[in-house]
Amino acid sequence: MKRIATMLSPEEIDSRLREMGREISEDYAGRQLVLVGVLRGAYMFLADLCRYITIPIEVDFLGVQSYGDETTSSGVVRMTSDLSRPIQDKHVLVVEDIVDTGLTARYLIQNLETRKPASLALCALLEKPKNNVGGVPIRYLGFTIPDQFVIGYGMDYASLYRNVPYIGVLEDQKEN
Ligand code: PRP
């Protein structure tokens, strides 16, 4: 078991989500908004964020994978499950846990654009600006972080650590 160094505490995450929820609620007031969570990493972020959104919303999910069990992106994005309902003429906000190389976000925006939503934008909890070559603009961003592999709050290393209630970095040492 590796030790985890805290990067963002539950309190820091919660307070930022409150602000993001307020902003989204104001911007989309009177519109038909669908939050599209990107599985699996975004499930916890979406669940917490949507509690701070005060307008009626739909929630849907799709699944993509680009990392496998590695800590660097394979560069190949694969859709593992699709939306359950059409998004045509709806306002769609894609909810991602992290934009790293930006390849997943770019793939998703290009894919969903073909389904003719009324609008399409990206919300991400984390961005590594140093790596984001995908060039997709993030309309709602929680935090910018340095180029370190992060786990917790939905994000995994080799399928583990998603349930850690904060965002951390694995320290390369063994526990006694
Ligand atoms: C992670 C993360 C994003 C993507 C970001 O997903 O959840 O979807 O990678 O990386 P990128 O900007 O370099 O494309 P991952 O493939 O690890 O799947 P998971 O969400 O199921 O953990």
Side-chain angles (χ1 to χ4, degrees):
M1 185 72 182
K2 291 170 186 276
R3 289 179 197 274
I4 305 168
T6 303
M7 181 183 277
L8 292 163
S9 69
E11 293 75 22
E12 288 172 300
I13 297 168
D14 183 66
S15 121
R16 185 71 189 107
L17 263 51
R18 251 174 222 276
E19 295 170 352
M20 295 172 83
R22 192 180 315 128
E23 203 182 337
I24 291 167
S25 304
E26 287 170 7
D27 291 354
Y28 287 93
R31 298 188 200 173
Q32 197 174 2
L33 175 62
V34 186
L35 293 188
V36 171
V38 183
L39 295 171
R40 289 162 287 175
Y43 74 94
M44 201 177 284
F45 173 43
L46 186 144
D48 286 345
L49 176 67
C50 73
R51 289 170 228 231
Y52 293 124
I53 297 178
T54 53
I55 57 170
I57 56 165
E58 288 178 52
V59 174
D60 208 342
F61 293 94
L62 50 71
V64 290
Q65 194 158 35
S66 62
Y67 278 63
D69 281 353
E70 308 303 319
T71 58
T72 54
S73 175
S74 64
V76 179
V77 184
R78 192 167 65 91
M79 194 175 279
T80 53
S81 64
D82 205 346
L83 295 174
S84 61
R85 301 184 62 185
I87 53 168
Q88 185 164 359
D89 299 328
K90 293 180 180 175
H91 295 272
V92 174
L93 189 56
V94 176
V95 178
E96 262 285 25
D97 48 323
I98 185 165
V99 174
D100 187 349
T101 63
L103 295 174
T104 305
R106 189 174 64 186
Y107 166 86
L108 284 174
I109 295 294
Q110 285 173 351
N111 181 301
L112 297 179
E113 195 68 71
T114 64
R115 306 182 197 194
K116 309 215 177 320
S119 71
L120 183 58
L122 179 64
C123 170
L125 179 61
L126 306 175
E127 184 196 21
K128 292 181 184 173
K130 190 169 167 280
N131 296 1
N132 184 0
V133 293
V136 178
I138 304 172
R139 187 173 302 168
Y140 304 96
L141 175 64
F143 303 92
T144 58
I145 60 166
D147 185 17
Q148 286 179 290
F149 190 82
V150 287
I151 55 90
Y153 203 69
M155 291 171 283
D156 75 309
Y157 168 64
S159 293
L160 299 175
Y161 303 103
R162 292 191 197 272
N163 58 318
V164 170
Y166 55 89
I167 292 166
V169 177
L170 291 177
E171 291 183 338
D172 203 18
Q173 62 182 89
K174 293 212 184 332
E175 254 179 14
N176 297 319

